[in-house]
mmCIF file of all heavy atoms in Angstrom:
data_model
loop_
_atom_site.group_PDB
_atom_site.id
_atom_site.type_symbol
_atom_site.label_atom_id
_atom_site.label_comp_id
_atom_site.label_asym_id
_atom_site.label_seq_id
_atom_site.Cartn_x
_atom_site.Cartn_y
_atom_site.Cartn_z
ATOM 1 N N ARG A 614 0.838 -1.269 0.007
ATOM 2 C CA ARG A 614 -0.045 -0.002 -0.002
ATOM 3 C C ARG A 614 0.860 1.280 0.011
ATOM 4 O O ARG A 614 0.551 2.244 -0.669
ATOM 5 C CB ARG A 614 -0.893 0.064 1.246
ATOM 6 C CG ARG A 614 -2.022 -1.005 1.160
ATOM 7 C CD ARG A 614 -3.084 -0.731 2.183
ATOM 8 N NE ARG A 614 -2.584 -0.885 3.547
ATOM 9 C CZ ARG A 614 -2.529 -2.041 4.274
ATOM 10 N NH1 ARG A 614 -2.999 -3.164 3.760
ATOM 11 N NH2 ARG A 614 -2.109 -1.980 5.445
ATOM 12 N N ILE A 615 1.932 1.215 0.732
ATOM 13 C CA ILE A 615 2.809 2.364 0.771
ATOM 14 C C ILE A 615 3.475 2.696 -0.583
ATOM 15 O O ILE A 615 3.570 3.695 -1.052
ATOM 16 C CB ILE A 615 3.888 2.198 1.878
ATOM 17 C CG1 ILE A 615 3.244 2.228 3.238
ATOM 18 C CG2 ILE A 615 4.948 3.234 1.800
ATOM 19 C CD1 ILE A 615 4.241 1.854 4.401
ATOM 20 N N GLU A 616 3.870 1.572 -1.261
ATOM 21 C CA GLU A 616 4.473 1.686 -2.599
ATOM 22 C C GLU A 616 3.477 2.297 -3.541
ATOM 23 O O GLU A 616 3.839 2.982 -4.421
ATOM 24 C CB GLU A 616 5.084 0.319 -3.014
ATOM 25 C CG GLU A 616 6.275 -0.117 -2.296
ATOM 26 C CD GLU A 616 6.912 -1.389 -2.873
ATOM 27 O OE1 GLU A 616 6.351 -2.421 -2.499
ATOM 28 O OE2 GLU A 616 7.757 -1.275 -3.643
ATOM 29 N N MET A 617 2.249 1.876 -3.439
ATOM 30 C CA MET A 617 1.235 2.484 -4.374
ATOM 31 C C MET A 617 1.037 3.880 -4.200
ATOM 32 O O MET A 617 0.899 4.655 -5.149
ATOM 33 C CB MET A 617 -0.063 1.715 -4.144
ATOM 34 C CG MET A 617 -0.059 0.238 -4.558
ATOM 35 S SD MET A 617 -1.662 -0.551 -4.325
ATOM 36 C CE MET A 617 -2.698 0.430 -5.421
ATOM 37 N N GLU A 618 1.159 4.435 -2.935
ATOM 38 C CA GLU A 618 0.970 5.763 -2.671
ATOM 39 C C GLU A 618 2.229 6.601 -2.934
ATOM 40 O O GLU A 618 2.212 7.693 -3.443
ATOM 41 C CB GLU A 618 0.642 5.968 -1.190
ATOM 42 C CG GLU A 618 -0.812 5.361 -0.774
ATOM 43 C CD GLU A 618 -1.044 5.406 0.642
ATOM 44 O OE1 GLU A 618 -0.086 6.039 1.370
ATOM 45 O OE2 GLU A 618 -2.001 4.924 1.125
ATOM 46 N N ASP A 619 3.426 5.885 -2.770
ATOM 47 C CA ASP A 619 4.718 6.587 -2.918
ATOM 48 C C ASP A 619 5.528 5.593 -3.711
ATOM 49 O O ASP A 619 6.317 4.810 -3.083
ATOM 50 C CB ASP A 619 5.269 7.070 -1.707
ATOM 51 C CG ASP A 619 6.584 7.807 -1.950
ATOM 52 O OD1 ASP A 619 6.894 8.043 -3.103
ATOM 53 O OD2 ASP A 619 7.287 8.225 -0.965
ATOM 54 N N PRO A 620 5.604 5.627 -5.057
ATOM 55 C CA PRO A 620 6.434 4.648 -5.848
ATOM 56 C C PRO A 620 7.898 4.734 -5.420
ATOM 57 O O PRO A 620 8.649 3.720 -5.721
ATOM 58 C CB PRO A 620 6.104 5.011 -7.237
ATOM 59 C CG PRO A 620 4.932 5.808 -7.263
ATOM 60 C CD PRO A 620 4.851 6.472 -5.943
ATOM 61 N N SER A 621 8.355 5.882 -4.986
ATOM 62 C CA SER A 621 9.742 5.925 -4.656
ATOM 63 C C SER A 621 10.242 5.204 -3.315
ATOM 64 O O SER A 621 11.322 5.026 -3.052
ATOM 65 C CB SER A 621 10.145 7.446 -4.529
ATOM 66 O OG SER A 621 9.489 7.982 -3.332
ATOM 67 N N PHE A 622 9.089 4.749 -2.648
ATOM 68 C CA PHE A 622 9.447 4.086 -1.366
ATOM 69 C C PHE A 622 9.739 2.648 -1.715
ATOM 70 O O PHE A 622 9.217 1.966 -2.532
ATOM 71 C CB PHE A 622 8.181 4.094 -0.458
ATOM 72 C CG PHE A 622 8.416 3.272 0.784
ATOM 73 C CD1 PHE A 622 9.002 3.859 1.886
ATOM 74 C CD2 PHE A 622 7.791 2.023 0.832
ATOM 75 C CE1 PHE A 622 9.169 3.116 3.073
ATOM 76 C CE2 PHE A 622 8.065 1.275 2.069
ATOM 77 C CZ PHE A 622 8.691 1.873 3.114
ATOM 78 N N GLY A 623 10.654 2.054 -0.938
ATOM 79 C CA GLY A 623 11.080 0.712 -1.196
ATOM 80 C C GLY A 623 11.613 0.105 0.165
ATOM 81 O O GLY A 623 12.273 0.903 0.918
ATOM 82 N N LEU A 624 11.417 -1.247 0.356
ATOM 83 C CA LEU A 624 11.920 -1.738 1.597
ATOM 84 C C LEU A 624 13.407 -1.967 1.473
ATOM 85 O O LEU A 624 13.996 -2.362 2.448
ATOM 86 C CB LEU A 624 11.236 -3.110 1.808
ATOM 87 C CG LEU A 624 9.757 -3.127 2.221
ATOM 88 C CD1 LEU A 624 9.250 -4.526 2.355
ATOM 89 C CD2 LEU A 624 9.711 -2.347 3.526
ATOM 90 N N GLY A 625 13.960 -1.543 0.344
ATOM 91 C CA GLY A 625 15.300 -1.649 0.240
ATOM 92 C C GLY A 625 16.108 -0.680 1.249
ATOM 93 O O GLY A 625 17.349 -1.028 1.414
ATOM 94 N N ILE A 626 15.478 0.329 1.739
ATOM 95 C CA ILE A 626 16.124 1.198 2.713
ATOM 96 C C ILE A 626 16.448 0.492 3.965
ATOM 97 O O ILE A 626 17.334 0.908 4.806
ATOM 98 C CB ILE A 626 15.233 2.436 2.987
ATOM 99 C CG1 ILE A 626 13.885 1.919 3.571
ATOM 100 C CG2 ILE A 626 14.923 3.200 1.768
ATOM 101 C CD1 ILE A 626 12.881 2.981 4.055
ATOM 102 N N ASP A 627 15.915 -0.665 4.141
ATOM 103 C CA ASP A 627 16.137 -1.384 5.517
ATOM 104 C C ASP A 627 17.144 -2.505 5.252
ATOM 105 O O ASP A 627 17.304 -3.357 6.107
ATOM 106 C CB ASP A 627 14.877 -1.973 5.979
ATOM 107 C CG ASP A 627 13.889 -0.898 6.532
ATOM 108 O OD1 ASP A 627 14.360 0.064 6.997
ATOM 109 O OD2 ASP A 627 12.676 -1.164 6.302
ATOM 110 N N LEU A 628 17.905 -2.447 4.169
ATOM 111 C CA LEU A 628 18.794 -3.616 3.943
ATOM 112 C C LEU A 628 19.944 -3.736 4.885
ATOM 113 O O LEU A 628 20.620 -4.656 5.030
ATOM 114 C CB LEU A 628 19.427 -3.463 2.473
ATOM 115 C CG LEU A 628 18.491 -3.924 1.412
ATOM 116 C CD1 LEU A 628 19.080 -3.719 0.004
ATOM 117 C CD2 LEU A 628 18.192 -5.391 1.558
ATOM 118 N N ASP A 629 20.277 -2.456 5.579
ATOM 119 C CA ASP A 629 21.433 -2.464 6.512
ATOM 120 C C ASP A 629 21.058 -2.989 7.903
ATOM 121 O O ASP A 629 21.770 -2.863 8.811
ATOM 122 C CB ASP A 629 22.054 -1.048 6.538
ATOM 123 C CG ASP A 629 22.736 -0.682 5.190
ATOM 124 O OD1 ASP A 629 23.141 -1.570 4.544
ATOM 125 O OD2 ASP A 629 22.687 0.498 4.914
ATOM 126 N N LEU A 630 19.758 -3.357 8.062
ATOM 127 C CA LEU A 630 19.443 -3.849 9.370
ATOM 128 C C LEU A 630 20.310 -5.032 9.768
ATOM 129 O O LEU A 630 20.600 -5.977 8.876
ATOM 130 C CB LEU A 630 17.914 -4.314 9.358
ATOM 131 C CG LEU A 630 16.920 -3.143 9.415
ATOM 132 C CD1 LEU A 630 15.492 -3.765 9.322
ATOM 133 C CD2 LEU A 630 16.936 -2.337 10.684
ATOM 134 N N ASP A 631 20.719 -4.992 10.973
ATOM 135 C CA ASP A 631 21.491 -6.099 11.438
ATOM 136 C C ASP A 631 20.738 -7.442 11.476
ATOM 137 O O ASP A 631 19.504 -7.524 11.633
ATOM 138 C CB ASP A 631 21.911 -5.946 12.947
ATOM 139 C CG ASP A 631 23.064 -6.811 13.411
ATOM 140 O OD1 ASP A 631 22.745 -7.946 13.721
ATOM 141 O OD2 ASP A 631 24.241 -6.299 13.389
ATOM 142 N N SER A 632 21.484 -8.458 11.037
ATOM 143 C CA SER A 632 20.831 -9.790 10.857
ATOM 144 C C SER A 632 20.206 -10.273 12.179
ATOM 145 O O SER A 632 19.280 -11.100 12.205
ATOM 146 C CB SER A 632 21.796 -10.795 10.400
ATOM 147 O OG SER A 632 22.889 -11.030 11.297
ATOM 148 N N VAL A 633 20.824 -9.788 13.283
ATOM 149 C CA VAL A 633 20.235 -10.256 14.580
ATOM 150 C C VAL A 633 18.744 -9.781 14.637
ATOM 151 O O VAL A 633 17.959 -10.471 15.299
ATOM 152 C CB VAL A 633 21.043 -9.596 15.768
ATOM 153 C CG1 VAL A 633 20.353 -9.873 17.104
ATOM 154 C CG2 VAL A 633 22.453 -10.132 15.697
ATOM 155 N N VAL A 634 18.451 -8.726 14.055
ATOM 156 C CA VAL A 634 16.944 -8.184 14.119
ATOM 157 C C VAL A 634 16.099 -9.232 13.392
ATOM 158 O O VAL A 634 15.014 -9.612 13.978
ATOM 159 C CB VAL A 634 16.866 -6.815 13.411
ATOM 160 C CG1 VAL A 634 15.425 -6.444 13.292
ATOM 161 C CG2 VAL A 634 17.715 -5.816 14.133
ATOM 162 N N TRP A 635 16.519 -9.708 12.308
ATOM 163 C CA TRP A 635 15.783 -10.683 11.519
ATOM 164 C C TRP A 635 15.676 -11.996 12.251
ATOM 165 O O TRP A 635 14.741 -12.760 12.256
ATOM 166 C CB TRP A 635 16.215 -10.811 10.153
ATOM 167 C CG TRP A 635 16.075 -9.421 9.389
ATOM 168 C CD1 TRP A 635 17.117 -8.671 9.066
ATOM 169 C CD2 TRP A 635 14.881 -8.913 9.074
ATOM 170 N NE1 TRP A 635 16.644 -7.582 8.536
ATOM 171 C CE2 TRP A 635 15.179 -7.661 8.453
ATOM 172 C CE3 TRP A 635 13.494 -9.237 9.053
ATOM 173 C CZ2 TRP A 635 14.274 -6.764 7.933
ATOM 174 C CZ3 TRP A 635 12.578 -8.373 8.563
ATOM 175 C CH2 TRP A 635 12.942 -7.124 8.036
ATOM 176 N N ASP A 636 16.878 -12.428 12.841
ATOM 177 C CA ASP A 636 16.903 -13.679 13.565
ATOM 178 C C ASP A 636 15.949 -13.647 14.721
ATOM 179 O O ASP A 636 15.185 -14.589 15.092
ATOM 180 C CB ASP A 636 18.279 -13.938 14.099
ATOM 181 C CG ASP A 636 19.293 -14.235 13.008
ATOM 182 O OD1 ASP A 636 18.771 -14.732 11.925
ATOM 183 O OD2 ASP A 636 20.536 -14.178 13.265
ATOM 184 N N ASP A 637 15.849 -12.416 15.366
ATOM 185 C CA ASP A 637 14.945 -12.268 16.511
ATOM 186 C C ASP A 637 13.498 -12.334 16.047
ATOM 187 O O ASP A 637 12.596 -12.888 16.713
ATOM 188 C CB ASP A 637 15.186 -10.953 17.255
ATOM 189 C CG ASP A 637 14.339 -10.760 18.428
ATOM 190 O OD1 ASP A 637 14.521 -11.423 19.446
ATOM 191 O OD2 ASP A 637 13.380 -9.854 18.388
#
């Protein structure tokens, strides 16, 4: 829904999240 409202938005901005966050 966010991408439809703002095509410039992408989840790629969160690529630098530490892997521990995703493991958790």
